Amino acid sequence: MKISIIGAGNVGSLTAMRLAQERIGDILLVDIVKGLARGKCLDLEDASPVLKYVYKIEGTDDIQAIKDSDIIVITAGLARKPGMTREELCCKNAAILKEICLNIKNLASQSIVVMVTNPLDLMTRFALATTGFKPTKVLGLGITLDAARFANVISRELNIPHTDIVTTVIGSHGEGMLPLPRLTNIKGISLEEFVSEAKVQELVKKTVARGAEIVSLLGSGSAYFAPSAAAAEIVRAIAKDEKRILGVSAYLNGEYGLKDVCIGVPCRLGKSGIEQIIELDLNSKEKEALKKSSASLQEQYKSIKL
Ligand SMILES: NC(=O)c1ccc[n+]([C@@H]2O[C@H](COP(=O)([O-])OP(=O)(O)OC[C@H]3O[C@@H](n4cnc5c(N)ncnc54)[C@H](O)[C@@H]3O)[C@@H](O)[C@H]2O)c1
């Protein structure tokens, strides 16, 4: 199994480390900056004798090396800088991704693409359009991370082990994120029954603000430990044909009453990529919120001008 990771920055190199050290496949790390991916891979390889097991990881600045990859994770791109609008970031990252996606189309037409670059749902939709791949083969990491954050916030605030918590988050990865307390449970008890309405709202608010909280504490850049763990979880589910149900940004064609949008919903993941889109039984308020999140994404997608 050949797994290529494009972008050897914080998220890309940590994802490479996790996948290599779990021996999920042969890992290739690619970055446009000369020497960066190779340097990081030599460093990662040097850990092998200390860890006392062997794994294969290679770094390059030559995108041609992704040829015949089975899975490609895209983490290449910019993070939003002060003063940069979301639309500007969107256009800049789309310009970076265009070339990458055309290379994927030509060099690895059988691969499954896992998008990480932000704005996540828009870049997933853009990669789908640019590669021309089947919608089952292009998916984005967003709400798996948000669901982990929701579980961690609940665990810390209520002093419950996260192993007893199952969270559900849908919608876009960003302001349109929808943590669903009704479909989040602690050993089968809905979060809505477990704590007061005010506490539920506080937990949801903390979860939605988590990414921005980390950005402001770091001073520069954004989160990468949890994002890389979530990216590795998605790749593992595909590589090992686990059939796990994880939240990913998926192309909807009528599911949830939505069309022509990539947005976060629970999906069954296996060796073919998205093997099933799970349609949750949403109430009218939840449906309305998802519709709003989707409409906003569709509007923003129109702003991509290359
Ligand atoms: N979806 C999520 O949940 C999630 C979470 C965290 C970060 N992100 C996003 O992931 C992206 C990467 O984040 P990061 O913290 O690793 O950033 P980073 O700046 O550390 O790394 C980005 C890397 O991409 C490389 N790059 C740029 N253009 C390239 C190209 N054409 N080919 C190959 N490599 C190229 C850069 O040289 C850099 O090394 C950002 O867009 C960030 O917003 C998404």
Side-chain angles (χ1 to χ4, degrees), residues 9-11 31-33 75-78 96 116-118 141 145 173 223 227:
N10 285 332
V11 181
D31 201 284
I32 198 163
V33 175
T75 71
L78 307 171
I96 291 172
V116 179
T117 304
N118 276 322
L141 156 74
L145 169 64
H173 179 60

Side-chain angles (χ1 to χ4, degrees), residues 41-56:
C41 287
L42 290 178
D43 187 14
L44 282 167
E45 209 181 65
D46 286 346
S48 179
V50 183
L51 297 169
K52 302 204 175 3
Y53 52 76
V54 178
Y55 44 83
K56 199 166 168 221

Side-chain angles (χ1 to χ4, degrees), residues 15-190:
T15 304
M17 184 189 85
R18 294 183 193 285
L19 292 171
Q21 292 184 348
E22 269 193 61
R23 286 166 285 177
I24 304 284
D26 294 343
I27 309 299
L28 176 79
L29 188 59
V30 186
D31 201 284
I32 198 163
V33 175
K34 222 171 174 42
L36 181 71
R38 179 142 166 75
K40 289 202 176 185
C41 287
L42 290 178
D43 187 14
L44 282 167
E45 209 181 65
D46 286 346
S48 179
V50 183
L51 297 169
K52 302 204 175 3
Y53 52 76
V54 178
Y55 44 83
K56 199 166 168 221
I57 183 159
E58 277 176 26
T60 180
D61 51 37
D62 181 9
I63 190 86
Q64 299 291 321
I66 66 167
K67 191 169 173 19
D68 297 334
S69 297
D70 298 291
I71 302 175
I72 299 182
V73 183
I74 305 180
T75 71
L78 307 171
R80 189 143 62 130
K81 299 199 170 65
M84 189 191 269
T85 65
R86 198 166 276 277
E87 285 72 25
E88 277 173 307
L89 175 72
C90 199
C91 293
K92 281 196 180 344
N93 278 349
I96 291 172
L97 292 190
K98 185 167 182 189
E99 212 186 311
I100 291 173
C101 290
L102 290 174
N103 275 310
I104 292 174
K105 182 181 178 177
N106 293 330
L107 298 163
S109 60
Q110 301 305 312
S111 61
I112 292 167
V113 177
V114 179
M115 180 60 66
V116 179
T117 304
N118 276 322
L120 190 271
D121 302 276
L122 301 176
M123 293 303 103
T124 307
R125 177 75 189 83
F126 183 78
L128 182 63
T130 313
T131 56
F133 284 5
K134 283 199 294 191
T136 50
K137 292 177 63 190
V138 181
L139 51 125
L141 156 74
I143 56 166
T144 297
L145 169 64
D146 300 328
R149 285 176 169 163
F150 196 20
N152 190 40
V153 166
I154 294 170
S155 169
R156 293 295 294 254
E157 290 281 322
L158 306 183
N159 194 20
I160 295 166
H162 57 77
T163 43
D164 289 353
I165 304 168
V166 177
T167 54
T168 306
V169 178
I170 58 170
S172 67
H173 179 60
E175 282 126 37
M177 178 203 311
L178 303 170
L180 299 180
R182 190 179 64 85
L183 300 177
T184 289
N185 73 74
I186 293 131
K187 282 280 172 199
I189 305 164
S190 162

